Amino acid sequence: MTRPGAASTSSIARLLESGLLAEPEVVAGHLGLARSVLAVTRCERDRSIDDLGPGTLGVLFANDADLTSLEVESAIRTASGAGLSGLLFLVNNPDDIPHTTRRLADKLGFPIIVATAQSEYDVLDELDHFVRSPSLRIVSRLHRYLWSVSRGSNDIARVLAALSDVIDGPAAIVDAEGRLMHGDVDLPDYVLESLRQPVATPTTVDGTDALFALAPLPFRDAHDTLWLVASTHASWGVHRDLVASALAVTVWPVVGQFLQRQLDERRENNERSLIFADLLEHPEAPPRHVVEHAATARWRLFGWHRILAVSLVDADGNLISPQETQSGIAAALRRLARSGELIERAEGWFLWWTSNVKPTPAELSAGVARARQELQTATESLAARSVRIAVGVSNTAQGAVGLRDMVNEAENSCLLARAGREALSIEGSDSSDARRFLTGYYASTTLRDLATRITEPLIEHDPRGDLRRTLISFLDNQSSTTRTARDLGLHRNTVQQRLLKVSDALSLDLDDPKDRLAIHLALHLSEGSSSP
Amino acid sequence: MTGIKSAKLGIHFTPEHVHCVAVDASGSYLFGQTTAKTGGSAPALDHALGVVLERLDAACIAALNLVLDGSIKDLGTEELSRVCIVRVMPSDRPAAQPLAAWPPRLASRVRGPVIHLGGGHDFRGDEMRELDEDRLRRFAAGCRNDVTTVAITAVGSTGNADHERRTADILREELGRELSVAVAHEQGGVGFLRRENTAILNAALMDGHRRQLDRLAEVVDRYCPRGLMHVAHRDGTVLSQPASQREPLMALGAQITHAAHGARRLSAKAQAHVAVCYADNVHVVMADGVDGHPEQEVTDDPVRLTAESPSIISTPWHELLYLRSSALHRTLAGSELPVIVCGPEADRLLAQADALGWAARIHNSDALTIDPSLFAALGAATSYASGTVERTVDFERQDREFLIAEIVSLARRRAILAGADVSCLKIDPVRITPLGYTPGQGARVRARAHGPLLIPSRNLS
């Protein structure tokens, strides 16, 4: 694996590898292919050759020399004596160079290259940039590339085609497993290994006869890294730099395309959410535009509805809006919603399934199990940021009114789930009535603020949170100091000492059942800010 | 032999032997060897290199400079091609026919189809008559299956070679790209007939020379994969294989100048006359620029050519003592420079030095103790490559500085193609000779570039 940017001195051999010459053929002087090349200049006639500096590759076009004549012999002698690196003949129909001329070049170790003529000034510029200032060449090629990309749409296929053209090889977008998303590149196993690096960074990988360049698309979630990959002919410094630079430039229009798609999707989601809200507001007599949309979107309002309300809660207990979420949870929700609808709401998402017949309890249980399985995959990345998933599951009901009821039921269940401490909390409509009693309690912002104020002294006395953890454990363990000490891995005396400090800080009597209930509820309500 | 990082070989082919000398990168003599020559040059080189590489690592051999045997005088007709002769001139009635002063046997062997074509330029390069391309194409169509070699000479090609080049292009279109073509402006020289003679002989020798060099190059590649092959030029320098293929004539008779070069180098006397003694002749190679006769050209070639060679005076042994009024004696008498004696028959000349009156001038130091037969190989091993361009111009109508810079640039390119290292090229002072018989400011401008050979770097291996 080689870091991009390592430049080397140009030589005839490297010039031949560059791909700048069409059908190059070394007709003589192979021993001199390692000669350094410092500049590439046209020779008008062979008499001007000795005016060129040492290290120059002299270029003669069809009009400048007759390959079969003694002029070529004379040119070789002049160029070799003047210290030129070699002679390049750009001709459309290369005649046979005489044997004596080839022999001379072979003996002098002076390379003679014949290539098909192209647009002469472009070729001269390209070759000269290549040897004189590799960075200039890169800038020149990139400039041309950007110009071509900027002229049309940023369609990913078109951008990849332009990239392929500039690097002289195929390009594609793949995921971390090497699955092709756009374009087509054949990636060997050793390149796939590089896609799985812990920290995604641009890199190049040398194959036996190919160079692979990889650049991650700069999305924040490393677990879902997409790669822009390209394959080109095995090459050295300058071409390698060009490939790496072209990839670095290309990731931005590609990312732009992805962002554009997300924006389109979000706009569509918002529109759908508004219509859904209208539907819930007027379930008995939905507005006409809602009915029209429901029809075109195949919303079967008359069917049996089941709702999953999903919210994300951060470490402070605050809800995270869907716009701020990462692709991991979004992808899991999209997978879950394949047979239903995914609708954004202020507090998260609704997943909505409709069926023509009433689902059986077993089908409902299977649905919940599947939701747990899918969402569990997203918890790992969310846990790293102390974000939990709260899911409320509704029962099932028929018609538009039933839909509204199921939405309410799922929202209430989700509210209960938000009080949980697990990375993924799922509450269903079958939760006990006693717990349902808490729903209203959790929903009160006033009570929540009050609970935070009540428990604040604990944090002021002990910013590390030891007192708070000890108190929660003590209350959860039915006021048993022995079990609290065991759970926390502390000595019982330590627990007792901490509880004394808690009583002092909160001015509570923990032997009083009312005080214990009050502080237990307050802690649960403010649990978000104190959860370990 | 170890520790040698780079070495050059000079290899001199004679009818009976192959003489080989190795020098290091600085040109210092390492060793010499002589092997018997049996068969052609390629097997002889194969054998000689096999022996050399027992003493030297093949990878360190950067250059192999070959001095081919043979001279224009001894030119065998079997290796000559029939040459299609194309004259481009404004007049339809030439004063002299091609090959007019050639030995009849040689002329009849070489003569192919001849055409006088309308065209040509004046000394300033202005077109005197439009090139008659239609007639040229009709002519080519008529000898399509009969011509493989062409010599093209245009009037005024030293001032403007467009018609020669255009003629060559058309003939290649009509007769095929494999056609061997010698164009006179590449040989230089103001005289039309000399330029034409040179072009015709070059064309006649071209195919045979190319085949010979290809055979030799195969052997060189087999033994010395990094060594560049060069061929000795009769002006004392060497040429790369493709450059030599264009001027095969100049590979003939190169042993004399290279022996002189080797002797001067070994004795560390850059300014000295050198007497190269062979069984039949004594060849005295004059020091350049001697006595105000820098272009004096004394040769026994049977055809008047524009060969760019140092002044060589060749004298048969039996004439040496008796022709005291000869050019050789006159030239040496007026010079204070020392005379170095070398060659297989060096002792014979040294024995006669008193009688010749040269004894006091003889400079043969102890450094000359190597086998006298090896001097040509030594000279080739240490030779440079050069390129010379000669043109006629009119300074009244053309910018002087621009013209001179252009001619110097052409000379540089020729030197580079000949094998010189562009980073070490030196330019001789440009010689400008006014042409008194022309209107305006007509002049003959001659530029020469020379330098050590471009050799492969060992770092690459």
Side-chain angles (χ1 to χ4, degrees), chain A residues 7 19 39 78 88 92 116 137 175 199 203 256 294 330 360 403 462 505:
Chain A
T78 308
L88 166 64
N92 282 322
T116 305
R137 175 178 176 262
D175 69 4
V199 180
T203 189
T360 63
L403 173 64
D462 174 25

Side-chain angles (χ1 to χ4, degrees), chain A residues 136-388:
Chain A
L136 261 184
R137 175 178 176 262
I138 292 174
V139 169
S140 167
R141 293 286 293 267
L142 287 179
H143 177 260
R144 203 175 301 177
Y145 167 59
L146 289 175
W147 186 78
S148 73
V149 168
S150 66
R151 285 192 72 197
S153 71
N154 272 356
D155 175 68
I156 290 179
R158 204 181 72 81
V159 171
L160 290 179
L163 176 64
S164 296
D165 189 43
V166 77
I167 65 168
D168 196 20
I173 293 169
V174 300
D175 69 4
E177 299 291 321
R179 283 183 287 265
L180 284 168
M181 299 180 66
H182 298 275
D184 189 10
V185 172
D186 192 14
L187 298 176
D189 287 344
Y190 56 85
V191 177
L192 294 177
E193 287 291 321
S194 300
L195 296 176
R196 298 180 196 122
Q197 54 189 287
V199 180
T201 52
T203 189
T204 51
V205 182
D206 289 301
T208 48
D209 54 359
L211 168 73
F212 296 92
L214 320 172
L217 299 182
F219 297 122
R220 274 184 297 176
D221 192 345
H223 286 276
D224 293 314
T225 299
L226 296 180
W227 292 83
L228 178 60
V229 297
S231 163
T232 183
H233 49 84
S235 191
W236 58 283
V238 176
H239 190 66
R240 184 184 290 272
D241 287 354
L242 172 66
V243 173
S245 303
L247 256 69
V249 167
T250 307
V251 295
W252 296 109
V254 170
V255 166
Q257 270 296 298
F258 278 101
L259 292 178
Q260 183 63 50
R261 286 183 186 189
Q262 281 191 349
L263 279 175
D264 293 344
E265 198 174 309
R266 185 149 295 165
R267 194 176 300 123
E268 193 183 329
N269 284 342
N270 288 342
E271 193 179 346
R272 199 160 41 182
S273 300
L274 287 172
I275 293 172
F276 190 70
D278 284 347
L279 177 62
L280 295 183
E281 198 172 336
H282 310 285
E284 291 86 1
R288 199 168 69 183
H289 74 277
V290 174
V291 176
E292 283 176 6
H293 182 93
T296 54
R298 297 183 182 178
W299 288 359
R300 289 170 294 176
L301 301 180
F302 55 85
W304 289 87
H305 306 290
R306 187 160 48 95
I307 298 291
L308 224 67
V310 180
S311 292
L312 297 184
V313 186
D314 69 10
D316 298 326
N318 299 319
L319 287 169
I320 299 172
S321 89
Q323 279 79 15
E324 297 171 33
T325 51
Q326 300 300 301
S327 56
I329 179 72
L333 291 170
R334 275 196 298 272
R335 284 196 296 274
L336 264 179
R338 266 180 206 149
S339 56
E341 288 287 335
L342 178 65
I343 296 167
E344 279 187 17
R345 59 181 183 126
E347 297 84 5
W349 300 266
F350 286 127
L351 286 156
W352 168 27
W353 292 274
T354 307
S355 56
N356 292 337
V357 294
K358 184 178 181 181
T360 63
E363 286 171 336
L364 291 175
S365 299
V368 173
R370 184 165 163 261
R372 181 181 294 281
Q373 187 184 356
E374 285 289 357
L375 293 172
Q376 194 70 44
T377 60
T379 54
E380 286 181 19
S381 60
L382 293 172
R385 294 162 47 224
S386 302
V387 172
R388 295 181 290 109

